[in-house]
Amino acid sequence: MARDNMVLILDFGSQTTQLIARRVREAGVYCEIHPYWSAEEKLSELSPTALILSGGPSSVYGEKAPRIDKAIFDLGLPILGICYGVQLTAFLQGGTVEAATAREYGAAEVEVETATGVFGRFAAGDKLDVWMSHGDRITSLPEGFVTIGQNESTPACAIANDAKKIYGLQFHPEVTHTKRGGELIEAFLFDVSGLEANWSPDSFAEESVAKIKATVADDEHVILGLSGGVDSSVAAILCQRALGDRLTCIFVDNGLLRYEEAERVVKMFRRHFELNLIAVDATDEFLDALDGCTDPEKKRKIIGKTFIDVFEREANKVKGAKWLAQGTLYPDVIESVPIHGSSAVIKSHHNVGGLPERMNLKLLEPLRELFKDEVRAAGRALGMPHEALGRHPFPGPGLAVRCLGDLTKTRLDTLRLADEIFINELREAGLYDSIWQAFAVLLPVRSVGVMGDERTYDEVVALRAIHSRDGMTADWTRLPYELLAKVSSRIINEVRGVNRVVYDVSSKPPATIEWE
């Protein structure tokens, strides 16, 4: 759908493409990411005000290199090419790109030669700390382009064609390692492209309620799978604001939830939000299906299939249901579209895929344009309490991917209690809200211990706490030793069957946030 004042980002497979979108959104400008091969279609459909070409792992001179029609550079749109994007810009317009003598990866310094375009907020001679990640470089510029920034190993580190409003950066302004990258992006958005900072999650909430009202007919009913997490909760309130009693939420207790989570979710959404809520306890059904399964991918598939069976059974009881609402977020939408040359999928994800077709339902995804923190901001605009919005992310398969090995009720209860102790101590220390995600993991490992005068041979709990901006990258949280000692002591003393607690000090990458 076309909208005024928006940016189209064409993705060539970079790991940081979503960060480009985040920086544009943070500047107050709406943007969308689409694969490079859809460029012609999306330019026509969206009528963007400006275009950004992402980085990517390919070489422009490669036989199967991802490319776009060079006529795009003659449309009169302001264009910013980043890394592979600048190389493609130069290559398609007659410049030369060659393999560099040495791959450049990491921190670098770029000197501003000319304060124009994306460098318009700087002064000639300024030195910028940036982040490089490339194996090729531009060795000759196309006609009409000049170099506006360089460093020792990459002479054409920043290029410009002021007449066409086309700019390119060999480094990545979107990553935090480029210290003043936000200024570069804002210069392109506002000074070069003339965009306005008129988009926010608050305005999105108002637009979304109106859009739902216009989409769902007056005689149609919507059902929504409510997990109690931030995404499904905000989606539920948006739908309730638009539809009132024509929304029915279904909450499935799969036996893989956190400590007393089922009771808390039902209480909050029935009493506080007054939602039409069907709550079903399917613990035995899920655990029976998972009996003996230890492979994480098989766990996910079993949980997904069982969820669909239970949800469909309950949803069929709702008369007049024509729509299925989901809390799908923008990263989910982006990752569902394959990009030639992009990284492989790390994990499969549990969702209610397959239900719309099986039940002849239309799909309603009111959050599909938002990132996680934008969902929280939209929830605040709707007046939702911090209790509902401030919860740490929780994986779709629940404790199945945190209880490594066999999934028995005893082991799950052990993990639930250990996790609750950890979370409560973080809250008591005033640290919970400053951490992106924290949780306990029960390992399929036993270790020798001594409790009292007796030898024990019990299980091990790992604690995980990370800082992140969007979940794409993460760093482990440096928790106070005193706090870790208290948590460890409480878990070992209060949780039967655990005699050792360890702390995970791995970052993402190379590790993932969840253990499975």
Side-chain angles (χ1 to χ4, degrees):
M1 178 184 70
R3 66 163 79 197
D4 294 333
N5 202 73
M6 70 91 64
V7 174
L8 170 62
I9 301 170
L10 293 180
D11 184 14
F12 291 89
S14 172
Q15 298 280 2
T16 61
T17 301
Q18 288 190 34
L19 293 181
I20 301 173
R22 295 298 305 276
R23 302 300 172 258
V24 173
R25 297 267 186 101
E26 287 166 1
V29 175
Y30 181 75
C31 65
E32 291 186 12
I33 299 171
H34 292 281
Y36 71 92
W37 46 259
S38 67
E40 185 176 350
E41 172 193 349
K42 295 303 175 182
L43 284 166
S44 174
E45 176 188 334
L46 300 174
S47 299
T49 306
L51 182 65
I52 297 179
L53 311 181
S54 85
S58 303
S59 293
V60 296
Y61 48 78
E63 184 178 346
K64 296 183 178 180
R67 296 181 185 173
I68 54 176
D69 189 337
K70 65 180 182 180
I72 287 173
F73 296 98
D74 296 320
L75 294 177
L77 285 175
I79 297 175
L80 172 62
I82 296 173
C83 197
Y84 180 86
V86 66
Q87 294 168 9
L88 185 65
T89 298
F91 182 80
L92 291 179
Q93 296 184 91
T96 305
V97 178
E98 299 176 353
T101 53
R103 176 179 171 83
E104 191 171 17
Y105 179 83
E109 185 178 77
V110 171
E111 180 177 351
V112 176
E113 287 188 7
T114 307
T116 185
V118 292
F119 281 168
R121 300 187 178 192
F122 299 87
D126 281 354
K127 303 285 200 306
L128 307 181
D129 294 324
V130 305
W131 187 262
M132 296 280 197
S133 179
H134 64 97
D136 297 332
R137 66 177 184 174
I138 299 168
T139 53
S140 69
L141 295 179
E143 184 179 351
F145 280 80
V146 296
T147 297
I148 60 173
Q150 65 174 324
N151 76 347
E152 292 182 359
S153 59
T154 310
C157 193
I159 65 174
N161 183 326
D162 285 327
K164 287 189 171 184
K165 294 186 177 181
I166 300 176
Y167 301 88
L169 303 172
Q170 186 57 73
F171 56 90
H172 290 272
E174 71 273 20
V175 303
T176 55
H177 304 79
T178 298
K179 301 303 181 185
R180 299 177 67 183
E183 295 177 57
L184 290 163
I185 291 174
E186 289 183 6
F188 174 72
L189 297 175
F190 304 126
D191 306 339
V192 173
S193 306
L195 289 152
E196 297 179 12
N198 63 0
W199 186 89
S200 72
D202 290 20
S203 62
F204 167 85
E206 297 175 6
E207 293 173 5
S208 185
V209 170
K211 187 175 180 180
I212 294 169
K213 286 181 178 179
T215 301
V216 180
D218 292 342
D219 61 344
E220 292 180 329
H221 206 99
V222 174
I223 54 176
L224 180 146
L226 181 68
S227 69
V230 175
D231 306 338
S232 66
S233 299
V234 175
I237 300 308
L238 281 172
C239 290
Q240 184 193 42
R241 293 285 174 87
L243 306 171
D245 291 340
R246 290 189 290 128
L247 168 72
T248 297
C249 295
I250 300 174
F251 172 74
V252 177
D253 181 358
N254 57 13
L256 304 169
L257 304 177
R258 289 170 283 199
Y259 187 80
E260 295 184 348
E261 184 159 17
E263 296 88 339
R264 294 170 182 173
V265 169
V266 172
K267 180 180 179 180
M268 176 186 297
F269 286 93
R270 275 187 179 160
R271 295 184 183 178
H272 185 89
F273 295 116
E274 298 181 343
L275 285 177
N276 289 331
L277 178 62
I278 297 172
V280 54
D281 184 355
T283 298
D284 292 341
E285 192 169 343
F286 277 87
L287 294 188
D288 286 347
L290 289 162
D291 185 33
C293 181
T294 59
D295 180 82
E297 283 301 297
K298 289 181 180 178
K299 287 179 182 178
R300 282 179 165 84
K301 290 176 182 177
I302 291 170
I303 292 166
K305 180 184 181 303
T306 308
F307 180 86
I308 287 175
D309 291 342
V310 174
F311 190 92
E312 183 178 20
R313 188 168 63 233
E314 297 301 321
N316 281 332
K317 301 174 185 177
V318 180
K319 295 181 179 180
K322 300 295 182 182
W323 293 85
L324 173 68
Q326 292 188 161
T328 306
L329 302 191
Y330 197 43
D332 303 322
V333 175
I334 299 167
E335 290 170 5
S336 70
V337 180
I339 301 293
H340 173 67
S342 63
S343 59
V345 175
I346 305 302
K347 302 173 184 174
S348 65
H349 293 278
H350 164 56
N351 209 322
V352 293
L355 272 175
E357 294 83 0
R358 284 177 59 162
M359 300 180 65
N360 196 29
L361 295 174
K362 293 172 283 187
L363 194 57
L364 187 65
E365 296 174 315
L367 304 178
R368 64 181 284 114
E369 296 177 354
L370 300 186
F371 290 96
K372 173 71 79 172
D373 60 331
E374 294 173 334
V375 173
R376 288 194 170 99
R380 287 192 291 271
L382 292 166
M384 296 177 66
H386 182 71
E387 179 186 358
L389 299 175
R391 304 188 71 193
H392 289 178
F394 190 61
L399 297 183
V401 293
R402 295 179 181 176
C403 185
L404 280 55
D406 289 328
L407 295 174
T408 65
K409 188 175 186 306
T410 298
R411 295 192 75 232
L412 288 165
D413 286 342
T414 296
L415 175 56
R416 263 187 277 267
L417 184 53
D419 184 77
E420 180 72 0
I421 290 171
F422 185 29
I423 296 303
N424 282 343
E425 289 299 334
L426 289 174
R427 292 188 188 278
E428 285 293 320
L431 295 173
Y432 181 84
D433 289 334
S434 65
I435 295 171
W436 169 269
Q437 194 170 3
F439 54 91
V441 180
L442 186 62
L443 305 182
V445 174
R446 290 184 179 273
S447 72
V448 175
V450 177
M451 301 182 77
D453 294 324
E454 296 184 2
R455 176 183 180 276
T456 62
Y457 191 56
D458 288 331
E459 294 192 285
V460 180
V461 165
L463 305 178
R464 180 85 157 131
I466 57 101
H467 288 305
S468 180
R469 189 166 188 168
D470 44 35
M472 294 178 60
T473 60
D475 190 21
W476 63 278
T477 303
R478 277 66 170 172
L479 293 177
Y481 293 151
E482 296 79 5
L483 175 61
L484 288 172
K486 185 177 181 182
V487 173
S488 174
S489 177
R490 282 198 60 193
I491 289 175
I492 291 172
N493 286 319
E494 298 176 31
V495 182
R496 185 177 296 277
V498 175
N499 68 358
R500 191 178 299 270
V501 175
V502 298
Y503 188 56
D504 185 346
V505 294
S506 309
S507 295
K508 175 188 178 181
T512 54
I513 294 174
E514 298 289 345
W515 276 51
E516 285 190 340

